[in-house]
């Protein structure tokens, strides 16, 4: 009888101990998400703000909502498109098909790359500050620049004007080079290629603060265009044939046309998409309202933060937006991670 009582007491203690364990602690391992791939998901880190913010948003959701590990490979547009085809990276958060028209069509035709979703609509153009137009009221269109080269004198070649084009190595460099030739401005203007996106932005902001005249290429959505009072120079109406030639480095006789409106998509390696259908479904549903991306990039600019900080800002501020991209259980895990920060 003494042993029976001892055994019963022991079993009772074990049952009491098990009962006292908090249920979430016991269920945690069972409910923890398991990533569809057993290696880090590799993102293209193209070196402009909106792409890096998008990469930060997507990585946070994958890590905290889907249980994945992630990494970022930094590079330029065309080399990273080649990497996406090879499978060296899995996801490019921001692809502008219109800007790399020929290369993108070839990538899709290879069957190794997919373009999914509709992230937002992006645009491009040549801009001047509004105060420059007020000083030079005849300046309305890009073609008018021929009469104003002294206003935008190149400090390294005062006999010509300077247009601040794309940072060196960016795909938009071909477009700007061809547009300059199409407008017959190549004799009167030098197209200056800053060494980086940061250098380009610094040159524009410095001139603006000093009320100096400057003409430059830029794109939207960006915090800079939203923060400064700018005028976009007019170009001839969009023509697809002319634009196709403008994207070609070998375009012999470029014809001026408006930049093509760019519905931005997410680039996904096809083999990865097959391996990770749930992750690809998330990327396919990812779309960002214009006001949300503008406000997020504006916060990045005014606060002087990093793109990953802006990604978390977006996730904290726009839960009704991103919750539509993922299943409820994924959204709840992401929300919990944000609340723990």
């Amino acid at each position: 009888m003494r042993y029976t009582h001892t055994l019963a007491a022991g079993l009772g203690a074990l049952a009491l101990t098990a009962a006292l364990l908090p249920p979430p602690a016991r269920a945690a391992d069972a409910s923890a998400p398991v990533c569809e791939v057993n290696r880090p998901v590799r993102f293209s880190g193209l070196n402009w703000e909106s792409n890096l913010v998008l990469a930060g948003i997507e990585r946070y959701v994958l890590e905290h909502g889907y249980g994945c590990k992630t990494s970022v490979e930094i590079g330029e547009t065309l080399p990273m498109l080649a990497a996406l085809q090879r499978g060296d990276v899995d996801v490019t958060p921001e692809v502008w098909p219109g800007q790399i028209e020929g290369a993108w069509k070839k990538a899709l035709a290879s069957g190794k790359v997919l373009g999914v979703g509709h992230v937002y609509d992006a645009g491009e153009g040549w801009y001047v500050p509004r105060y420059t137009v007020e000083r030079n009221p005849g300046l309305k269109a890009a073609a008018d620049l021929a009469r104003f080269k002294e206003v935008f004198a190149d400090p390294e070649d005062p006999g010509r004007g300077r247009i601040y084009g794309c940072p060196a190595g960016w795909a938009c460099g071909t477009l700007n080079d061809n547009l300059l030739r199409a407008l017959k401005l190549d004799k009167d203007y030098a197209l200056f290629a800053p060494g980086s996106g940061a250098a380009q932005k610094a040159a524009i902001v410095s001139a603006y603060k000093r009320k100096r005249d400057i003409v430059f290429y830029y794109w939207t959505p960006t915090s800079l265009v939203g923060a400064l009072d700018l005028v976009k120079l007019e170009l001839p109406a969009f023509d697809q044939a002319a634009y196709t030639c403008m994207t070609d480095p070998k375009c012999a006789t470029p014809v001026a046309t408006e930049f093509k409106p760019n519905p931005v998509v997410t680039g996904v390696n096809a083999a990865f998409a097959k391996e990770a259908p749930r992750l690809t479904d998330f990327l396919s549903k990812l779309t960002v309202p214009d006001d949300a991306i503008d406000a997020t990039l504006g916060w990045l600019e005014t606060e002087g933060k990093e793109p990953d900080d802006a990604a978390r800002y977006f996730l904290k501020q726009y839960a009704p937006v991103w919750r539509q991209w993922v299943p409820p259980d994924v959204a709840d895990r992401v929300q919990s991670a944000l609340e723990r920060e």
Side-chain angles (χ1 to χ4, degrees):
M1 290 292 293
R2 186 173 62 215
Y3 293 112
T4 302
H5 284 305
T6 302
L7 179 60
L11 291 172
L14 287 172
L16 179 61
T17 300
L20 291 175
L21 281 174
R26 294 202 311 271
D29 290 339
S31 63
V34 178
C35 189
E36 289 176 300
V37 293
N38 60 1
R39 56 167 178 77
V41 180
R42 299 159 298 195
F43 285 81
S44 299
L46 305 177
N47 57 350
W48 61 83
E49 292 166 341
S50 55
N51 176 83
L52 293 173
V53 171
L54 284 170
I57 292 169
E58 293 168 8
R59 292 179 66 203
Y60 196 97
V61 172
L62 260 62
E63 290 174 4
H64 297 282
Y66 290 93
C68 299
K69 295 180 180 179
T70 69
S71 65
V72 176
E73 303 292 332
I74 302 299
E76 307 292 351
T77 302
L78 293 178
M80 294 313 288
L81 176 58
L84 189 67
Q85 287 181 263
R86 292 192 304 268
D88 293 341
V89 295
D90 304 303
V91 181
T92 298
E94 188 174 346
V95 175
W96 296 30
Q99 191 183 85
I100 52 171
E101 199 166 74
W104 181 243
K105 285 181 178 179
K106 288 180 181 178
L108 294 178
S110 74
K112 297 177 181 178
V113 169
L114 305 175
V116 302
H118 180 183
V119 183
Y120 42 62
D121 288 317
E124 302 166 87
W126 285 5
Y127 293 86
V128 294
R130 189 170 300 279
Y131 60 74
T132 294
V133 173
E134 292 170 351
R135 294 170 185 167
N136 305 277
L139 179 57
K140 295 180 179 179
D144 296 331
L145 289 169
R147 296 183 286 114
F148 294 96
K149 66 178 182 179
E150 295 84 3
V151 173
F152 305 104
D154 188 333
E156 297 176 6
D157 185 1
R160 304 171 76 197
R162 170 181 284 191
I163 299 173
Y164 285 79
C166 280
W170 287 23
C172 48
T174 297
L175 276 166
N176 282 290
D177 285 337
N178 284 330
L179 181 57
L180 191 76
R181 291 194 295 128
L183 293 168
K184 305 296 190 288
L185 295 173
D186 46 319
K187 291 183 180 179
D188 292 325
Y189 279 85
L191 192 60
F192 179 77
S196 66
Q200 178 195 31
K201 184 176 179 180
I204 295 166
V205 172
S206 176
Y208 190 90
K209 286 181 177 178
R210 291 167 173 78
K211 290 292 189 285
R212 293 177 180 170
D213 297 311
I214 184 172
V215 55
F216 58 92
Y217 162 87
Y218 223 74
W219 66 98
T220 57
T222 51
S223 58
L224 182 138
V225 172
L228 306 184
D229 189 6
L230 304 173
V231 174
K232 185 179 180 181
L233 296 177
E234 298 171 7
L235 286 166
F238 177 75
D239 179 89
Q240 181 60 57
Y243 188 84
T244 298
C245 192
M246 291 254 291
T247 65
D248 184 355
K250 298 179 181 179
C251 182
T253 56
V255 176
T257 178
E258 178 62 88
F259 287 92
K260 186 175 185 176
N262 267 299
V264 173
V265 300
T266 303
V268 181
N269 175 269
F272 170 82
K274 186 175 182 180
E275 185 181 8
R278 292 183 68 228
L279 301 184
T280 304
D281 182 63
F282 152 57
L283 295 169
S284 300
K285 292 176 180 175
L286 190 151
T287 184
V288 185
D290 290 345
D291 58 347
I293 191 63
D294 288 344
T296 300
L297 294 173
W299 181 88
L300 176 67
E301 175 78 10
T302 56
E303 298 296 322
K305 299 292 187 178
E306 295 298 319
D308 281 348
D309 299 319
R312 289 191 293 274
Y313 171 86
F314 172 87
L315 291 167
K316 291 177 180 179
Q317 295 294 318
Y318 296 100
V321 172
W322 60 260
R323 277 184 166 270
Q324 299 178 51
W325 307 340
V326 295
D329 61 320
V330 174
D332 289 344
R333 286 192 290 268
V334 172
Q335 190 67 52
S336 295
L338 291 168
E339 291 171 356
R340 290 195 297 269
E341 291 188 352

